Each structure stands twice: as structure tokens, then as C-alpha cells.
Amino acid sequence: MTTHVKRAFKYRFYPTDAQAAELSRTFGCVRKVYNLALAARTEAWTRQERVNYNQTSAMLTAWKKTEELAYLNEVSAVPLQQALRHLQTAFANFFGKRAKYPRFKSRKKSRKSAEYTTSAFRFRDGRLTLAKTAEPLDIVWSRPLPEGASPSTVTVSQDAAGRWYVSLLCEDPSVQPLAPADAAVGVDVGLGHLLTLSTGEKVSNPRHERRDRARLAKAQRRLARKARGDGANRAKARRTVARVYARITDRRRDHLHKLTTRLVRENQTIVIEDLAVRNMVKNGSLARAISDAAWSDFRSMLEYKAQWYGREVIAIDRWFPSSKLCSVCGTLQDKMPLHVREWTCDCGTIHDRDVNAAKNILAVGLTASVCGAGVRPQRSTPGGQSAVKQKTPRREP
Ligand SMILES: [Zn+2]
């Protein structure tokens, strides 16, 4: 292969006061531009018209000339332009039925980030300087960049716990496609376990997660009890919640990285259910929010690693009755209540509910892979599907 895989390398950094102020101002402007453009596109959408990226770009130029929005000129223009591109991607995913309608960014809840392309940063001798900031960032190089790598995109972000990160997108010559494998695996998302594989293996949640979740619930109760007027204590309680939440997601992401790398290394084909965001049940519980986030992380990690290593991920429609079908004789059961964990088919086979479902998912995916039609699978093969490419690959531990 002549082209190399692009990978994101993420590091913590510690901004000076001036850098923190400049970056916070940039995050605010990015959010403002994204929301203005979303409002304009939504307004057009209600008139059954579509506004494209170029039109929003022209709007941005006009906004900058108004007195009210003149402050947009004070930050680097590149992250603002990138915000419009991200919105374009969000709409493409919406029209492609891969995502819900784009939502407004909130000051408190949304991820704070700004993306810089090559014209807006300088990377020299391992020092990274962003546009509109005088000094290079104080980055903790927890692991080296690939030999001779030079980033094409740099993303700065701050998480809810206040930590600053910079992610550098670089070509990585060390990632090479693996030799083809014979194995294929089906993956079922369970209730009791994180995932069940068609091989019979059950993958549980990361260690300590139960305890961390209990801590999170406690921290949230404490936050809820803080009176509205008590600003300092409330802010402190909110930071505690954010810190525990960040630890849960960090551990989970680490766990998912190891798991997806193993699945991709061992299997040529991986079949999953297409649990699209739009199909997910709305549920206020945080446990559920974490599980949903884990699922979309799991899927995107699988897809980009499959691209790296020359593997295939097939997503089958979720209406397929994977739990009710006997994977041995093909008989369909009338019903399969959630509490039934093990059942016996008329053909005499004793099934573990989740393993049977994973086997069915695998069988359907492989059939679809051969005949094409039937289950409307969404494939993501190397070099395929745009939705996958537009996602920024995450760091692998
Ligand atoms: Zn049977």
C-alpha cells in the first residue's frame, strides 16, 4: 500500500493563562458560529430548502462584518470554518439516516473543541504553536509521534473536568494491513454483559465500573441537594460529578480499545447489529447514556481499525429477530421475554440467549455479504463509506 493510515495522537497540555483565555474565547466563537449556521439551515429546512456549506461560509463572512458579531474576527478564522464543515458532516449523516438532526451546542454541556488545519498552526522541532497564540503549547508527550510525522489537523479540547487536550492527526507508516484471517464473528449487545460473541465468549464491563457508577450516583445526589444560591459549593459538586464521569469513560474507552483491536486482529469479518442512534430508546438514566456512548465508540473503533488492517465490518438491521430464532434448526419462537436467559428449542438444542443471538447475527451478516440484498447491510470496507472517514480516529493505548 502506498497511502498511509491517518491516526490521531492525543496528549494533555497545560496552557498559560493567556493561551487558556484565547482558547476559551475560540471555543465560544466556534459554538456561536455552529449555532448560527444550524439556525439558518433549520430555518431553510422548514421551508423545504437546503443550505449548503458554501452558503454558510458566505454567511460567516457577512456575520463578521456586523457590529454585533465583530468579535468573531478576534479569533483564528480556521476553527470557525471547520465548525461549518462539522455541521455539514452532521447534516450529511442526518440525510444519510446515520444520525439524528443536529443539535445546538450548549455552553455548559457540549464538548469544547476547536480544530486547526495546517494554515493555522506551526509544528517545528516537536513544538506546536497555534494561530493567535505567541508561545508553543506545553504538551505532555506521553508517547512519541511516528518518525518524521507532521500533523495535518490539530484539535484542541477541554473536558468537563477542566483538563486540556490536543489531538494531532498524522500519517502513521507503522500501521500496515494484516494478513487475511479465516475467522468471522458475530457480536450481540447484551443486558447482563457488555457484549456476547458468537464463539460463546461473554465480554463484561470494565473492572471497577460498578463501584464507579455508585460513586457517580452519590456525587449526583449531592449535586442535586446543593441549593441554587450556593454557587461555590454547587460548582465544586459539579466538578466532582464531571471527574467521576470522566474516569468511567476513560476506563471504558481503554477497555473498548483492547477489545476492538483483538476482534479486528483475530477476524476477517465482524458482524454487528445496526443500533443507530435514531433507534435508541430515549431514557434519562445516566447508566443508559454511558452504555449508548460505549456502543457508538465500540462501533467507530471497530470500523476505523477494520480500515487500517484490511478487515470488514457488516452492520445488519436491528429488526432482525436474532433472539427468537434457533441458530441450529432455524425455527422461530413466538416470544422470548427478556428474563429468559436460557431456552430449549424443539430440535433439542439448549441455547444461551445471547450466544444464540450472536450466532444468528453472524449468519445473517455472512449471507448478506455473499448475496447482497435481504437485510440491507451497511458495509464499511477499506476505502469505503464516507461516514467512517469523517470521524477522527481516536488514540489507541
Ligand atoms: Zn432448533
Side-chain angles (χ1 to χ4, degrees):
M1 265 176 67
T2 47
T3 52
H4 290 132
V5 176
K6 284 196 172 183
R7 286 176 76 172
F9 295 82
K10 193 173 174 183
Y11 305 94
R12 270 191 90 164
F13 75 97
Y14 295 87
T16 62
D17 289 348
Q19 284 169 341
E22 177 61 30
L23 291 170
S24 295
R25 193 156 50 229
T26 306
F27 293 156
C29 291
V30 164
R31 190 179 62 244
K32 182 73 184 175
V33 165
Y34 187 94
N35 287 345
L36 283 170
L38 174 53
R41 294 181 76 138
T42 302
E43 199 268 327
W45 171 246
T46 59
R47 284 183 279 112
Q48 293 178 358
E49 285 171 26
R50 286 194 192 183
V51 169
N52 63 25
Y53 163 76
N54 286 336
Q55 287 164 292
T56 56
S57 186
M59 286 175 192
L60 174 58
T61 309
W63 294 332
K64 284 176 163 182
K65 285 176 184 154
T66 65
E67 199 177 328
E68 197 192 341
L69 297 170
Y71 65 87
L72 295 177
N73 293 296
E74 291 168 18
V75 302
S76 168
V78 172
L80 307 185
Q81 211 67 47
Q82 292 304 98
L84 297 179
R85 290 207 171 86
H86 295 157
L87 183 61
Q88 177 65 28
T89 306
F91 269 97
N93 286 337
F94 168 67
F95 291 128
K97 296 193 163 38
R98 292 182 295 271
K100 287 195 281 196
Y101 195 83
R103 293 206 303 199
F104 287 103
K105 287 189 189 293
S106 113
R107 193 169 67 86
K108 282 204 175 126
K109 288 185 186 157
S110 299
R111 197 173 93 97
K112 296 171 183 165
S113 75
E115 193 176 284
Y116 296 79
T117 51
T118 42
S119 63
F121 67 83
R122 194 173 64 235
F123 184 73
R124 199 173 292 156
D125 304 326
R127 287 157 75 82
L128 176 72
T129 312
L130 300 173
K132 303 266 181 185
T133 58
E135 292 167 81
L137 298 182
D138 178 13
I139 297 172
V140 182
W141 296 101
S142 43
R143 62 182 185 138
L145 283 179
E147 186 81 35
S150 82
S152 56
T153 307
V154 167
T155 306
V156 176
S157 60
Q158 190 184 24
D159 71 9
R163 299 175 296 186
W164 295 84
Y165 294 94
V166 61
S167 171
L168 294 83
L169 191 65
C170 301
E171 282 197 346
D172 187 351
S174 68
V175 174
Q176 297 290 340
L178 296 168
D182 286 332
V185 72
V187 181
D188 178 64
V189 192
L191 289 165
H193 288 80
L194 180 60
L195 303 168
T196 303
L197 308 182
S198 55
T199 55
E201 181 184 343
K202 300 204 169 192
V203 181
S204 45
N205 284 319
R207 286 180 64 207
H208 313 301
E209 173 142 330
R210 194 182 292 261
R211 207 170 61 205
D212 278 345
R213 280 193 189 197
R215 275 199 195 115
L216 182 61
K218 196 174 151 198
Q220 281 189 312
R221 281 196 301 273
R222 200 178 303 136
L223 173 61
R225 275 200 307 270
K226 295 292 170 203
R228 284 236 160 247
D230 188 3
N233 274 326
R234 208 178 142 75
K236 198 176 149 202
R238 188 182 291 119
R239 269 200 306 279
T240 308
V241 169
R243 207 163 42 232
V244 181
Y245 188 86
R247 189 170 58 214
I248 293 178
T249 50
D250 283 355
R251 279 184 178 155
R252 205 178 247 242
R253 187 157 288 177
D254 197 56
H255 185 65
L256 290 177
H257 265 304
K258 290 185 181 125
L259 178 64
T260 50
T261 297
R262 179 166 72 87
L263 287 175
V264 165
R265 283 188 175 278
E266 289 173 357
N267 298 282
Q268 186 62 36
T269 306
I270 299 143
V271 187
I272 58 174
E273 279 181 293
D274 182 20
L275 302 179
V277 189
R278 68 202 148 100
N279 286 336
M280 283 187 180
V281 185
K282 265 275 181 208
N283 180 324
S285 94
L286 195 65
R288 187 55 199 271
I290 294 170
S291 307
D292 290 357
W295 171 254
S296 67
D297 281 350
F298 172 76
R299 182 172 177 173
S300 77
M301 286 175 191
L302 259 192
E303 286 178 334
Y304 72 70
K305 287 178 188 177
Q307 276 204 328
W308 289 355
Y309 296 117
R311 304 299 202 221
E312 185 178 36
V313 175
I314 297 173
I316 65 164
D317 263 353
R318 78 174 307 207
W319 51 255
F320 177 73
S322 54
S323 300
K324 291 183 196 167
L325 194 68
C326 170
S327 59
V328 174
C329 71
T331 308
L332 194 62
Q333 304 297 309
D334 283 343
K335 46 180 184 260
M336 186 58 60
L338 277 176
H339 67 268
V340 177
R341 307 314 304 166
E342 206 179 83
W343 56 283
T344 308
C345 179
D346 293 340
C347 73
T349 315
I350 302 167
H351 288 298
D352 173 288
R353 179 202 182 92
D354 298 334
V355 175
N356 178 59
K359 283 181 178 164
N360 282 325
I361 289 166
L362 173 63
V364 171
L366 291 180
T367 312
S369 160
V370 176
C371 347
V375 292
R376 288 180 286 147
Q378 297 178 2
R379 284 145 164 275
S380 38
T381 47
Q385 224 195 55
S386 61
V388 179
K389 272 195 201 148
Q390 284 159 354
K391 272 183 198 140
T392 306
R394 292 184 186 93
R395 178 180 69 94
E396 192 186 7

